[in-house]
């Protein structure tokens, strides 16, 4: 009898174990299917995660961890999530005491659609079509321009309405120059893959010093100044705020996102009256970004102008943003014109 009883207990335990394993597998499969469907669809800030019943019915506790953060709130809260891809791990404690883990990607978008900003072309100015433009600034009536490519990179200044440089500072042949920004009496300039930046005297364009790019920035793309920090892009959807007194130091990072798009490949930047304006590499759009949240609140569509200037070479992309009072100036790589827009 004892042997029979022991056999029955062992058999019952085996059934419980097999049932538990099957439930665990069903939970992970259901969660994987859910995560896959939502990765394609994405979430908006404020949304709640509605996990499958196969998961919630058998779970005692569920949390989401990413990096050094963890939350048991199944909501897309900006305290934990940022725009774009969030690589996370779901942690599930089952009702039978098992711990299950599953990696996932949660794509986060802004809560509100970005505004389509209306504009009107009010003036055109000549631009040197030989310049592979990377950075574009206007102060008063003086244009400061950073031009790229190896063996032809330079920083120049000229008067709006002309194309002849007042001063041109050529870079060594191995340098590929990128975005630039004015901060006080200095101009800061990034390089593409050389992992260094330059600081110049704004008036003479004489190089004052160099600095290593922060390790967080893989490549130098765009640069602007918000009155406190330099802000850089590296081809992702991240804005890097740099200490203007030590540009090798990242003060903070901010992910950018729209209602339906993550907006990677942010490129040339301009800061104007509390907003950051950014173009997207190979796209005819300029975004208006809230620098506190990373939300894209507005969007300019320059498709017609861009097509006119890229029909002979697709590399001649929109890549220059500046402001002349309240009007926006745009141009691009090897464009023959600068366009002045009245924003309506």
């Amino acid at each position: 009898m004892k042997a029979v009883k022991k056999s029955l207990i062992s058999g019952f335990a085996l059934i419980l174990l097999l049932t538990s394993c099957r439930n665990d597998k069903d939970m992970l499969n259901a969660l994987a299917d859910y995560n896959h469907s939502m990765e394609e669809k994405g979430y908006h800030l404020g949304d709640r995660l509605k996990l499958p019943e196969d998961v919630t019915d058998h779970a005692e506790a569920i949390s989401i961890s990413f990096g050094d953060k963890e939350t048991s709130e199944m909501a897309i809260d900006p305290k934990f999530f940022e725009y774009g891809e969030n690589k996370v791990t779901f942690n599930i404690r089952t009702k039978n005491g098992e711990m299950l883990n599953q990696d996932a990607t949660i794509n986060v978008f802004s809560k509100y659609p970005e505004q389509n900003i209306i504009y009107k072309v009010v003036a055109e100015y000549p631009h040197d079509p030989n310049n592979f433009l990377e950075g574009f600034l206007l102060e008063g009536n003086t244009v400061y321009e950073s031009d790229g490519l190896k063996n032809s990179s330079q920083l120049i200044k000229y008067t709006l309405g002309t194309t002849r440089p007042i001063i041109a500072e050529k870079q060594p042949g191995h340098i590929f120059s990128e975005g630039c920004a004015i901060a006080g009496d200095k101009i800061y300039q990034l390089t593409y893959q050389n992992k260094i930046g330059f600081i110049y005297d704004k008036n003479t364009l004489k190089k004052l010093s160099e600095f290593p790019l922060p390790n967080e920035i893989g490549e130098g793309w765009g640069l602007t100044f918000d009155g406190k920090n330099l802000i850089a892009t590296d081809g992702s959807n991240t804005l890097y705020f740099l200490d203007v007194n030590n540009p090798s130091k990242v003060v903070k990072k901010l992910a950018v996102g729209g209602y339906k798009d993550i907006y990677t490949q942010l490129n040339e930047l301009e800061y104007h009256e509390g907003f950051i304006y950014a173009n997207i590499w190979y796209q005819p759009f300029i975004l208006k970004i809230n620098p506190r949240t990373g939300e894209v609140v507005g969007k300019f569509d320059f498709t017609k102008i861009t097509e006119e200037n890229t029909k002979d070479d697709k590399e001649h992309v929109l890549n220059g943003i500046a402001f002349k009072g309240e009007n926006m100036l745009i141009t691009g790589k090897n464009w023959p014109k600068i366009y002045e827009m009245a924003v309506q």
Side-chain angles (χ1 to χ4, degrees), residues 177-236:
S177 294
E178 281 281 350
C180 60
I182 294 173
D185 59 357
K186 298 175 181 176
I187 295 179
Y188 295 75
Q189 184 187 45
L190 301 180
T191 57
Y192 177 36
Q193 295 177 326
N194 300 101
K195 297 295 289 184
I196 58 172
F198 303 112
I199 303 175
Y200 303 89
D201 179 279
K202 183 181 71 176
N203 297 312
T204 65
L205 298 192
K206 293 302 179 185
K207 188 174 75 173
L208 302 175
S209 60
E210 299 180 5
F211 60 92
L213 295 189
N215 291 330
E216 295 94 325
I217 298 179
E219 298 175 344
W221 286 41
L223 192 67
T224 191
F225 181 60
D226 67 0
K228 181 181 179 181
N229 296 304
L230 295 165
I231 305 170
T233 56
D234 66 348
S236 65

Side-chain angles (χ1 to χ4, degrees), residues 31 35 49 51 61-77 79-82 85-93 99-106:
L31 184 58
N35 286 333
L49 283 72
L51 301 183
I62 304 172
S63 67
I64 304 172
S65 60
F66 35 104
D68 58 354
K69 297 181 291 185
E70 186 170 1
T71 179
S72 57
E73 294 292 326
M74 295 293 110
I76 305 300
D77 188 329
K79 290 186 298 184
F80 297 97
F81 295 92
E82 61 182 25
E85 289 189 351
N86 293 261
K87 300 293 186 181
V88 307
T89 300
F90 282 85
N91 311 298
I92 303 169
R93 186 169 71 249
M99 283 300 303
L100 306 178
N101 305 102
Q102 187 174 93
D103 295 335
T105 298
I106 293 179

Side-chain angles (χ1 to χ4, degrees), residues 153-193:
S153 286
Q154 61 178 346
L155 181 66
I156 60 176
K157 63 188 293 187
Y158 57 92
T159 302
L160 183 65
T162 71
T163 59
R164 188 171 185 175
I166 300 169
I167 305 174
E169 180 70 16
K170 303 285 186 179
Q171 266 100 38
H174 69 286
I175 295 295
F176 191 131
S177 294
E178 281 281 350
C180 60
I182 294 173
D185 59 357
K186 298 175 181 176
I187 295 179
Y188 295 75
Q189 184 187 45
L190 301 180
T191 57
Y192 177 36
Q193 295 177 326

Side-chain angles (χ1 to χ4, degrees), residues 80 86 105 108 112 122 133 140 196 217 224 227 315-316 321 333:
F80 297 97
N86 293 261
T105 298
V108 177
Y112 304 104
V122 295
L133 186 142
I196 58 172
I217 298 179
T224 191
E315 296 297 324
H316 295 173
I321 313 166
K333 300 178 188 290

